[in-house]
Amino acid sequence: MSKIAVLGYGVVGSGTVELFYKNKDKIIKKSGRDLDIGYILDIRDFPDSPYADKFTKNINDILEDDDVKIVAEVMGGVGDAYEYTKKCLEKGKSVVTSNKELVAKKGAELLKLAKAHDCNFLFEASTGGAIPIIRPLHQCLAGNDITGIEGILNGTTNFILTKMINEQMSFEDALSMAQKLGYAEKDPTADVEGHDACRKICILSSLAFGKHVYPDWVHCEGITKLTLEDACYAESWGGAIKLIGSVKRTEDGKILPMVRPAFVCYGNQLSHISDVFNGVMVYGDAVEEVMFYGRGAGKLPTASAIVGDIVDAAKMNGTSVSQVWEDSPDSSFIADYKDDVVSVYVRVRGVTGEKISSAFGTVEYLSREGQPDDELAFISPAMKERDFDAKLDSLGGQVLGKIRLLDM
């Protein structure tokens, strides 16, 4: 029998154990191997748990047991999780994880380590929760030249924006509701500032284009500056505001990964994804576009992806040759987002239409209910972002809002 070790017994860890035992017979049949959970590592005590006999506080119990073939790392962060993952891989134990920070920052190193020790480092749960996206990218869509990926990668921010759009809530009130419902942490910075989505687009970019994209190389903006007024203008324009993580190949062969709020027209399927659901669009030369949709987070949805990777790891004979990318010594293959050609929504106060026309030429003006007399909102013509910034600086007045239009 092959043993599984689960590192961490929080929300995802407990969900992984729960789902494994709920569907154990089916999991064993699908994996073709007799499996059981041998250890659960956590610094806390769980004396009333039905799995109390499986708990340990010592990682060496797992490392020194040759029957442990697969380890599910669900601790989070890049401290102990990173050190334990390295040690497990060095012992030839495959590791599956939902830890997007670990994969985004250390993925190239850990994939190389897995290959050196003839085991696997799998991370389907790190980007889309229950949504299968990692496996399709390197297996189902392997015959395509992938040209771009874009999506809603964070359920918390999508919930907040949905409330702002559908129920006319302020950002602050929508965030407060998300926290009360357990969708947002007490400290919501990673979600609302875009860091979570940034880690996920780094992982997808690395896998799709073959070179490790580090979070520090990605231009990232969150949703904290968005207002109810912006949401109303988006609706009058014919779309919705979404926090979009994307990557595309540029004309010079580089790639441009980015996270930012965007106006998404109602003709784009992403505009209709609401609440805590996520959606990812993949563009390829053969399929043109395909979409993956589902719950992007949560106890059992994330556990579903973890257990799926456990089954895959159990079935594999040797290291996956397709779920891999190279490390990157520098960011020379990353395009400057300021050179990207964009149209931008702008909301200003104290600026005349004549000055806007003088700076931008012909623009599309927007309106909303209750629009003040001294407020103008418009969509700029498409141009390089650095040129747009220069024209916006020349306007004077007060810039109240600035949001790019989704261009893929």
Side-chain angles (χ1 to χ4, degrees):
M1 182 182 69
S2 297
K3 294 179 183 178
I4 302 163
V6 178
L7 310 186
Y9 198 64
V11 173
V12 178
S14 61
T16 299
V17 175
E18 177 185 338
L19 186 61
F20 177 85
Y21 281 111
K22 178 184 178 184
N23 296 328
K24 183 179 178 182
D25 291 342
K26 294 183 177 67
I27 290 166
I28 288 174
K29 184 177 180 179
K30 290 174 181 176
S31 68
R33 185 182 295 190
D34 190 14
L35 299 171
D36 196 12
I37 293 177
Y39 300 93
I40 303 171
L41 178 76
D42 204 289
I43 60 173
R44 299 166 294 175
D45 294 313
F46 296 88
D48 299 325
S49 169
Y51 317 111
D53 61 322
K54 299 180 183 295
F55 280 88
T56 179
K57 297 180 181 179
N58 189 349
I59 187 63
N60 288 322
D61 291 340
I62 296 167
L63 295 173
E64 301 305 322
D65 189 336
D66 291 337
D67 289 333
V68 175
K69 305 297 185 183
I70 303 167
V71 177
E73 185 282 300
V74 287
M75 300 168 64
V78 289
D80 288 343
Y82 169 58
E83 294 299 327
Y84 294 169
T85 296
K86 280 204 305 180
K87 290 178 179 179
C88 288
L89 293 173
E90 287 168 349
K91 286 284 188 176
K93 304 177 191 295
S94 290
V95 177
V96 307
T97 185
S98 60
N99 189 341
K100 78 270 300 183
E101 184 177 8
L102 177 67
V103 184
K105 293 183 177 180
K106 303 292 184 179
E109 175 188 347
L110 296 173
L111 285 165
K112 184 177 180 181
L113 196 59
K115 183 178 181 180
H117 294 276
D118 200 31
C119 55
N120 280 285
F121 180 57
L122 305 176
F123 40 86
E124 184 66 70
S126 67
T127 55
I131 304 172
I133 182 62
I134 298 296
R135 198 171 289 106
L137 271 178
H138 73 92
Q139 292 183 4
C140 310
L141 299 174
N144 283 259
D145 177 26
I146 302 298
T147 56
I149 301 170
E150 64 185 7
I152 297 167
L153 303 174
N154 182 273
T156 299
T157 53
N158 203 44
F159 175 85
I160 291 170
L161 292 172
T162 298
K163 292 300 177 183
M164 291 176 68
I165 295 164
N166 294 347
E167 300 182 24
Q168 302 293 286
M169 281 189 179
S170 67
F171 169 80
E172 292 76 15
D173 288 345
L175 172 59
S176 178
M177 176 179 283
Q179 289 172 319
K180 288 176 183 176
L181 292 173
Y183 298 146
E185 300 289 342
K186 184 177 180 180
D187 179 1
T189 303
D191 291 321
V192 300
E193 294 292 356
H195 304 319
D196 177 79
C198 179
R199 292 162 185 159
K200 293 174 180 177
I201 201 61
C202 285
I203 296 168
L204 295 175
S205 301
S206 301
L207 187 58
F209 295 103
K211 291 185 178 181
H212 194 108
V213 177
Y214 288 93
D216 290 347
W217 297 348
V218 177
H219 179 72
C220 180
E221 299 174 21
I223 65 169
T224 56
K225 295 180 181 179
L226 300 182
T227 67
L228 180 56
E229 290 80 7
D230 297 324
C232 291
Y233 279 119
E235 185 176 20
S236 74
W237 169 75
I241 303 174
K242 298 294 181 181
L243 183 68
I244 299 293
S246 67
V247 61
K248 64 182 179 181
R249 185 187 294 124
T250 58
E251 291 183 358
D252 60 0
K254 295 183 178 183
I255 65 171
L256 177 58
M258 186 185 296
V259 174
R260 77 289 189 194
F263 270 31
V264 184
C265 71
Y266 286 140
N268 187 314
Q269 296 176 75
L270 294 176
S271 69
H272 303 288
I273 295 175
S274 59
D275 293 317
V276 294
F277 283 81
N278 287 182
V280 184
M281 304 285 293
V282 180
Y283 298 89
D285 61 344
V287 295
E288 292 189 6
E289 64 181 56
V290 290
M291 181 175 178
F292 301 86
Y293 166 82
R295 289 191 175 273
K299 180 177 181 177
L300 292 180
T302 305
S304 170
I306 287 284
V307 175
D309 272 350
I310 288 173
V311 171
D312 250 18
K315 291 162 63 177
M316 286 183 181
N317 182 20
T319 307
S320 169
V321 296
S322 59
Q323 185 166 309
V324 66
W325 59 73
E326 300 174 0
D327 201 356
S328 308
D330 58 57
S331 61
S332 58
F333 66 103
I334 305 290
D336 186 343
Y337 78 97
K338 290 286 189 180
D339 289 327
D340 194 30
V341 175
V342 294
S343 291
V344 184
Y345 150 83
V346 182
R347 181 164 65 97
V348 292
R349 177 181 295 148
V351 177
T352 64
E354 289 77 10
K355 290 198 71 172
I356 293 172
S357 297
S358 176
F360 289 99
T362 303
V363 301
E364 176 187 357
Y365 284 101
L366 306 179
S367 61
R368 66 176 175 89
E369 187 176 344
Q371 180 177 351
D373 292 338
D374 64 345
E375 179 178 284
L376 290 175
F378 63 92
I379 304 294
S380 78
M383 64 188 73
K384 285 189 176 183
E385 184 151 345
R386 66 176 71 257
D387 295 333
F388 166 84
D389 288 343
K391 292 177 183 295
L392 187 62
D393 287 342
S394 72
L395 276 185
Q398 181 181 6
V399 178
L400 303 174
K402 183 181 74 169
I403 304 171
R404 299 169 186 86
L405 274 59
L406 190 61
D407 62 344
M408 277 201 226

